Amino acid sequence: LEQLTEGRIPYLAQDSLPNYLRTKLDLEIEKKEHFVATEVNRISEHNLQQQICDLNNLSDALSEIIQTSRDSWDEVPPHPRLPENENKELVKLMSALETGKGLRSNNRKRG
């Protein structure tokens, strides 16, 4: 047996024989293969070509949008810097919004 199989099967045993002689796929693999085959056959050639055309048109439109955006980014001047005193006020406002720092609490008892 080892000579006939060129060393691939060194001996024949009851527990390994079914694995070597198996020609049918496992049930799970058969189900997946059948599903893929039915999906392929379900889509007609015309629909498939239409989907490919639509996808190509979409990718062309996206490429054009990206290219025009890239061109417009190069043309936009940088934002002017805020004066230093306005910048400090902005920092105070942002810290008040984020952490509540600098806010007064109104805990007076009403009576």
Side-chain angles (χ1 to χ4, degrees):
L1 182 63
E2 188 173 1
Q3 288 175 347
L4 288 174
T5 60
E6 297 172 351
R8 290 184 297 254
I9 302 175
Y11 60 91
L12 189 61
Q14 287 179 322
D15 57 340
S16 64
L17 182 65
N19 292 332
Y20 293 128
L21 298 177
R22 179 173 289 139
T23 57
K24 189 175 180 181
L25 297 174
D26 288 336
L27 186 59
E28 183 178 325
I29 296 172
E30 274 189 48
K31 287 179 181 178
K32 287 181 182 180
E33 187 177 67
H34 180 68
F35 175 74
V36 169
T38 55
E39 284 295 310
V40 167
N41 293 331
R42 188 176 61 91
I43 300 173
S44 69
E45 183 71 26
H46 176 71
N47 288 345
L48 186 60
Q49 289 299 326
Q50 184 63 37
Q51 287 178 358
I52 291 171
C53 184
D54 291 343
L55 187 59
N56 285 337
N57 290 339
L58 180 64
S59 64
D60 290 342
L62 285 173
S63 295
E64 186 176 329
I65 289 170
I66 291 170
Q67 186 60 39
T68 55
S69 296
R70 195 177 285 162
D71 293 342
S72 66
W73 288 335
D74 294 338
E75 296 171 2
V76 174
H79 294 306
R81 295 198 44 94
L82 291 173
E84 202 56 39
N85 59 349
E86 289 182 27
N87 199 12
K88 289 178 184 176
E89 293 296 318
L90 182 62
V91 169
K92 284 183 185 178
L93 179 62
M94 291 304 296
S95 66
L97 287 172
E98 291 174 355
T99 62
K101 183 179 177 181
L103 297 178
R104 295 182 203 157
S105 63
N106 211 359
N107 291 337
R108 287 187 261 173
K109 294 183 180 178
R110 294 182 183 167

